[in-house]
Amino acid sequence: MYSSFETERLLFVPLSLDHLAGYHVICSDELVSRYGLQGAFKTIDQSKDHLLKISTTPENPDVVNYALFLRSPLDTDDISKSHPIGVLGCHLVIPEKKAALLSYRFLPVYWGKGYASEALKAFLPVFWDLHPEVEKIEAIVDRENVPSQKILVKNGFRSIEHDIAGGVLPLIGPEVRAPPFIFQIQRNFKEGEDQPKWVLWFRAGS
């Protein structure tokens, strides 16, 4: 089992059923689920079922997912005193491809404050150490979710292809959306190395 750890502002705790109440607050939020294919969960049982699928269990020993708490909860913020402000991790490891799939969710009140980027930067070396067999991490991001794309690019991910399956976003409507981007980072990525021009565009526009 992997351990808890801290960054300057965040406490990382292995995700478990102990976090169900806070996880449901995150997953039932319409804005959080805006770009997800599953939509917002309506019941806590839905959140529980999903939480069990992305938590480390004997059936899913390779999963590495964290509940993220503020180390210093805001005095005016009741949520951060008892619940995680977000979740982040890799819930799917594909041994034959030496790859893992990244996902993260944060409550809207904490968007734009650098928490997601801080969490991702700290998570990557932890995951690499836990899974030496994995050579790349991928993330699937809706093409309209530019803030999430910027977070990934800032932390070394590159867009490699479109997901040919496309998808339906429940909050937007039943129409089929344009295929999302697939972002990827390689184990041997070194911060500061040369990047394509589109990466520099993202950084200039952030």
Side-chain angles (χ1 to χ4, degrees):
M1 184 65 176
Y2 49 100
S3 302
S4 300
F5 68 96
E6 297 178 346
T7 61
E8 181 180 356
R9 298 183 296 170
L10 298 171
L11 170 63
F12 290 64
V13 180
L15 187 65
S16 72
L17 276 178
D18 293 341
H19 306 120
L20 176 58
Y23 187 71
H24 181 60
V25 172
I26 295 170
C27 292
S28 61
D29 189 286
E30 295 285 355
L31 288 177
V32 173
S33 305
R34 179 182 178 89
Y35 295 112
L37 297 181
Q38 296 174 316
F41 294 152
K42 303 301 183 183
T43 69
I44 198 165
D45 285 337
Q46 287 179 298
S47 296
K48 180 179 179 180
D49 289 343
H50 192 260
L51 178 57
L52 289 172
K53 291 178 182 178
I54 66 169
S55 299
T56 305
T57 65
E59 294 75 27
N60 299 306
D62 295 330
V63 169
V64 181
N65 261 315
Y66 287 95
L68 304 172
F69 296 84
L70 291 183
R71 290 183 58 188
S72 300
L74 305 176
D75 291 336
T76 57
D77 183 359
D78 291 333
I79 293 178
S80 66
K81 293 177 182 177
S82 57
H83 292 322
I85 67 167
V87 292
L88 180 147
C90 290
H91 63 274
L92 180 62
V93 175
I94 310 170
E96 62 272 19
K97 293 187 177 181
K98 298 183 178 180
L101 185 64
L102 172 79
S103 65
Y104 49 85
R105 300 182 183 194
F106 285 80
L107 286 170
V109 69
Y110 304 105
W111 294 355
K113 296 177 169 56
Y115 291 123
S117 187
E118 178 179 335
L120 181 54
K121 182 177 181 179
F123 170 80
L124 289 174
V126 171
F127 182 82
W128 294 132
D129 287 345
L130 289 170
H131 282 285
E133 79 284 5
V134 173
E135 296 181 355
K136 58 190 176 183
I137 298 174
E138 296 183 352
I140 301 172
V141 187
D142 186 89
R143 66 192 308 136
E144 293 185 7
N145 190 358
V146 175
S148 188
Q149 295 170 31
K150 289 182 177 180
I151 291 168
L152 292 168
V153 169
K154 183 177 180 180
N155 287 278
F157 284 74
R158 278 82 178 267
S159 178
I160 58 170
E161 62 181 282
H162 299 294
D163 179 0
I164 60 174
V168 177
L169 301 180
L171 188 64
I172 309 298
E175 72 275 13
V176 176
R177 302 296 298 260
F181 293 121
I182 298 178
F183 283 76
Q184 183 186 98
I185 187 171
Q186 299 282 341
R187 173 182 286 275
N188 60 359
F189 169 79
K190 293 181 177 59
E191 189 172 359
E193 66 184 9
D194 292 339
Q195 295 180 323
K197 290 182 178 179
W198 71 268
V199 173
L200 300 179
W201 176 84
F202 265 118
R203 285 185 170 169
S206 59

